[in-house]
Amino acid sequence: MSMPRTTSASQIPDLASSFRNAMRRLAATVSVVTCVDGDGWHGMTATAITSVSIDPPAILVCVNTAAAFYRRLSLSKNFCVNLLGSPHVQVSQGFGGQLRGAERFASGNWTLTRELPCLIDAQANLFCKTETQTHFGTHGIFIGSVEEARFSAVAAPLVYQDGHYVTTSPLVVA
Ligand SMILES: Cc1cc2nc3c(=O)[nH]c(=O)nc-3n(C[C@H](O)[C@H](O)[C@H](O)COP(=O)(O)O)c2cc1C
């Protein structure tokens, strides 16, 4: 019996391009995901993060399997998701590829909390235990149960939308 086949966007050039353009409309808070292994601190900028469950509290993170961070996170039992604020554009750029390895932590105010690199003035810090990991297509999918959640007094998130950094402001709703 033949298996059902999934159509890959790369097999349909128009779909690959329209999918990318559609995703540019998906405004998302920028985070830096961090973990630690024997040879030090690791981190990567990510927007593909969402909450999965309230009870137990859990989130998921999608990481391209081509990223060096993918292997680090695969080997790690814990990770921290640091939600960036509007002053953190440089942090996002550094962890998004402008800086390499541990150099990335020179940008931003980092400390070790619960044995994980934690951005002190982040919008929120979610300390997670890796519960399960799988992959689909280009990305690894990591689900973590949240063991502690910290958040700032004021919400001023760093948002990535249509290839640009923006922040939010409330709409007047009648
Ligand atoms: C705003 C922004 C959002 C990103 N979101 C993701 C994401 O959700 N998942 C992902 O795998 N890469 C994402 N990236 C790309 C990685 O941060 C980038 O490829 C990084 O250099 C990977 O680092 P590494 O190869 O050292 O692990 C994003 C980059 C930026 C600037």
Side-chain angles (χ1 to χ4, degrees):
M1 196 173 77
S2 66
M3 295 291 288
R5 294 181 65 142
T6 308
T7 305
S8 152
S10 58
Q11 292 170 313
I12 310 173
D14 285 353
L15 177 58
S17 146
S18 57
F19 175 65
R20 258 190 228 103
N21 283 323
M23 287 300 100
R24 288 168 72 93
R25 300 289 177 268
L26 183 65
T29 294
V30 183
S31 295
V32 170
V33 187
T34 61
C35 66
V36 170
D37 72 10
D39 68 358
W41 295 11
H42 304 281
M44 188 198 89
T45 298
T47 47
I49 293 174
T50 192
S51 91
V52 169
S53 160
I54 295 170
D55 187 13
I59 58 173
L60 75 71
V61 178
C62 299
V63 180
N64 196 315
T65 55
F69 187 70
Y70 170 75
R71 191 168 162 273
R72 304 294 186 179
L73 194 55
S74 303
L75 297 174
S76 177
K77 293 189 172 68
N78 300 80
F79 61 90
C80 182
V81 172
N82 300 273
L83 274 69
L84 302 189
S86 52
H88 294 136
V89 171
Q90 236 187 316
V91 176
S92 171
Q93 290 171 328
F95 283 82
Q98 279 188 3
L99 300 174
R100 308 301 316 164
E103 266 178 39
R104 290 178 177 178
F105 291 93
S107 175
N109 197 357
W110 294 92
T111 185
L112 196 66
T113 305
R114 299 183 69 111
E115 299 181 357
L116 287 164
C118 165
L119 184 67
I120 289 171
D121 58 344
Q123 288 280 288
N125 312 101
L126 298 161
F127 298 90
C128 302
K129 177 171 161 248
T130 307
E131 294 291 348
T132 182
Q133 64 182 76
T134 182
H135 61 88
F136 187 87
T138 48
H139 279 56
I141 302 161
F142 298 82
I143 295 183
S145 54
V146 178
E147 298 189 316
E148 184 180 340
R150 300 179 178 186
F151 57 95
S152 62
V154 177
L158 180 64
V159 172
Y160 200 65
Q161 176 198 289
D162 203 18
H164 300 287
Y165 291 102
V166 299
T167 191
T168 54
S169 60
L171 291 172
V172 178
V173 180

